[in-house]
Amino acid sequence: GENVEQHPSTLSVQEGDSAVIKCTYSDSASNYFPWYKQELGKGPQLIIDIRSNVGEKKDQRIAVTLNKTAKHFSLHITETQPEDSAVYFCAANFHNNAGNMLTFGGGTRLMVKP
Amino acid sequence: DADVTQTPRNRITKTGKRIMLECSQTKGHDRMYWYRQDPGLGLRLIYYSFDVKDINKGEISDGYSVSRQAQAKFSLSLESAIPNQTALYFCATSDSTTAQHFGDGTRLSIL
């Protein structure tokens, strides 16, 4: 299977600063890397994903970078706002006999201080 | 995601009781999943189903069972609940593109 490690487990930034969350994965065959945001009392929501045929993807204030050689990928949030406060999860796919699955990192609690 | 509905949202029960958590979806996805979330451990896969007659064990299936009653419905059962099954439980769905869509979870407490 796949092993995904995520750092840091908690991150506190000042409003307007940037936040970076990093993940490493173990399976070199992984080719899909989604990021999820989980707000209090809600389920994880997909915010951005990247496939292994690109190195970077942006969507307004969030971006994800992928380094396939080093097997790590990162989430970058610029100009953070209080509503960015949440738990963020990275994930990587892997294949087993049944099909294509996801393994999740342990999560990062991001706190944006006004 | 309002297209994935979990019931109940909260449940408190006693050790040894049988519990069923239900999930229904209107996304038309074939694939459905049950995850457990514990602090610091992320989301761990309990069971998954890629079609109505397909059931597969995930990373932590012991003590749990599932039923895929229809394409839109996937239920999780704890036959005899124990306190260390206290957790947040999430249902998710996907099509073949891998992106998964989650419900808002069931908070389960076992006393």
Side-chain angles (χ1 to χ4, degrees):
Chain A
E2 170 74 281
N3 184 45
V4 177
E5 296 199 358
Q6 182 172 345
H7 299 280
S9 56
T10 59
L11 178 59
S12 182
V13 299
Q14 206 66 38
E15 182 177 358
D17 288 349
S18 295
V20 180
I21 303 169
K22 299 182 179 182
C23 290
T24 60
Y25 61 98
S26 61
D27 187 350
S28 57
S30 294
N31 60 4
Y32 175 69
F33 308 92
W35 285 89
Y36 288 82
K37 176 183 181 182
Q38 185 180 19
E39 296 176 330
L40 196 62
K42 299 284 189 181
Q45 298 292 309
L46 180 69
I47 56 171
I48 194 168
D49 56 13
I50 190 168
R51 296 190 183 270
S52 60
N53 57 345
V54 298
E56 183 175 4
K57 184 176 178 180
K58 287 184 179 180
D59 183 1
Q60 300 181 3
R61 294 187 297 106
I62 60 173
V64 57
T65 59
L66 171 64
N67 183 327
K68 286 179 61 181
T69 303
K71 290 191 280 189
H72 65 71
F73 56 112
S74 300
L75 178 71
H76 304 253
I77 305 174
T78 58
E79 300 172 26
T80 54
Q81 300 168 4
E83 52 265 38
D84 294 329
S85 297
V87 178
Y88 291 80
F89 291 98
C90 65
N93 73 323
F94 69 96
H95 299 268
N96 64 13
N97 290 337
N100 206 355
M101 309 298 299
L102 289 178
T103 295
F104 288 83
T108 296
R109 182 173 299 279
L110 174 64
M111 294 169 283
V112 180
K113 295 179 286 187
Chain B
D1 192 325
D3 297 325
V4 183
T5 303
Q6 291 185 235
T7 55
R9 292 295 317 277
N10 293 280
R11 178 80 185 269
I12 301 173
T13 192
K14 295 182 179 180
T15 298
K17 294 291 188 181
R18 183 179 188 275
I19 301 156
M20 180 180 288
L21 309 183
E22 304 206 34
C23 177
S24 62
Q25 52 117 345
T26 58
K27 299 187 80 69
H29 289 164
D30 287 328
R31 304 178 181 194
M32 298 187 75
Y33 312 79
W34 275 104
Y35 290 91
R36 168 177 172 158
Q37 184 178 34
D38 297 278
L41 293 177
L43 293 153
R44 293 184 293 165
L45 185 64
I46 306 172
Y47 270 96
Y48 59 102
S49 168
F50 281 5
D51 201 349
V52 174
K53 296 185 189 225
D54 177 67
I55 300 290
N56 302 282
K57 292 184 177 181
E59 179 188 358
I60 53 164
S61 59
D62 287 349
Y64 302 95
S65 62
V66 291
S67 174
R68 184 80 185 269
Q69 302 95 319
Q71 188 208 33
K73 295 183 183 295
F74 193 35
S75 59
L76 175 72
S77 294
L78 288 68
E79 296 300 327
S80 179
I82 55 176
N84 74 2
Q85 291 177 311
T86 293
L88 266 173
Y89 290 85
F90 288 99
C91 173
T93 74
S94 76
D95 57 19
S96 59
T97 64
T98 311
Q100 295 184 15
H101 303 265
F102 286 81
D104 283 336
T106 294
R107 183 174 295 278
L108 179 62
S109 297
I110 300 164
L111 307 177

